[in-house]
Amino acid sequence: AAGGKWCTCGMDHGERKSPEAAACKASGGDWKIDYEAGEEGCLVKGKESGIWTGYYPNGAKRWSGNFVDGYRDGHGEERHPTGEMLHQGEWALGIPDGTHTWVSPTGKEYGSSQVVSGTGQVHEYSPSGKHSFDVEYLGGQGHGLWKRYYDNGALAEETTYDAGKKTGPYRRYHI
């Protein structure tokens, strides 16, 4: 619901009060809270660093992941609005690494993807079990046709990549 509480935060002299925010400040970063996106984490020299967390409008944790120099790196996870695990996996400087599996709140598998040494296809799923994103990596770079889907499963956009750079037509679709 719009206007719902997503975070109860301790503040001290205008700064977030938490172990994460203190570690961010100690590393020379600034704690960033994006109220519109429902996300928070540390920015060091303008790039995401350390653990970032996203929230559903009701305050439940939606996702969390470690970032290094602006890239997702290390363990990350996504949760269903009711708190159960939706997806977890490892990343290496922004690229999924190994097997990633998406499951329903009851544990039924929606699908899985495998990326080895920066090469493979990823099929991401929303909490409802519908496709949310289809991407491919080759040698650690974006490759081929990438597709993003609306929450209802309808195709939202298509972008083609070659050696990590957008190439060819970009298509955006209306619901």
Side-chain angles (χ1 to χ4, degrees):
K5 178 179 84 171
W6 64 267
C7 183
T8 300
C9 307
M11 302 296 282
D12 186 19
H13 295 93
E15 294 184 6
R16 174 74 189 271
K17 187 177 176 182
S18 70
E20 298 84 2
C24 175
K25 187 173 184 176
S27 71
D30 295 308
W31 193 257
K32 168 77 172 156
I33 301 174
D34 184 334
Y35 294 101
E36 192 171 315
E39 301 174 350
E40 63 178 340
C42 184
L43 287 176
V44 176
K45 296 181 181 175
K47 296 181 180 180
E48 295 92 345
S49 180
I51 300 296
W52 274 72
T53 305
Y55 301 91
Y56 284 104
N58 68 359
K61 186 187 290 188
R62 182 176 189 150
W63 64 271
S64 66
N66 189 62
F67 285 78
V68 173
D69 203 24
Y71 294 100
R72 200 168 207 183
D73 193 76
H75 185 76
E77 61 186 39
E78 296 175 84
R79 296 192 171 272
H80 286 276
T82 49
E84 299 86 1
M85 190 66 66
L86 167 64
H87 160 246
Q88 61 181 329
E90 301 294 321
W91 278 261
L93 294 176
I95 297 175
D97 188 34
T99 301
H100 287 239
T101 303
W102 286 259
V103 296
S104 74
T106 62
K108 179 182 177 214
E109 186 175 310
Y110 291 148
S112 67
S113 297
Q114 180 82 16
V115 177
V116 178
S117 300
T119 299
Q121 294 182 343
V122 178
H123 307 287
E124 296 183 10
Y125 296 84
S126 69
S128 66
K130 292 182 172 34
H131 267 104
S132 60
F133 210 42
D134 290 328
V135 302
E136 184 177 353
Y137 295 97
L138 181 62
Q141 297 182 321
H143 179 77
L145 183 63
W146 286 31
K147 296 179 181 181
R148 187 180 64 80
Y149 300 87
Y150 289 109
D151 290 340
N152 68 0
L155 185 60
E157 61 187 8
E158 297 177 307
T159 307
T160 302
Y161 284 83
D162 184 22
K165 299 198 184 315
K166 292 180 182 180
T167 184
Y170 167 80
R171 294 181 183 97
R172 185 171 183 127
Y173 302 91
H174 297 283
I175 294 181

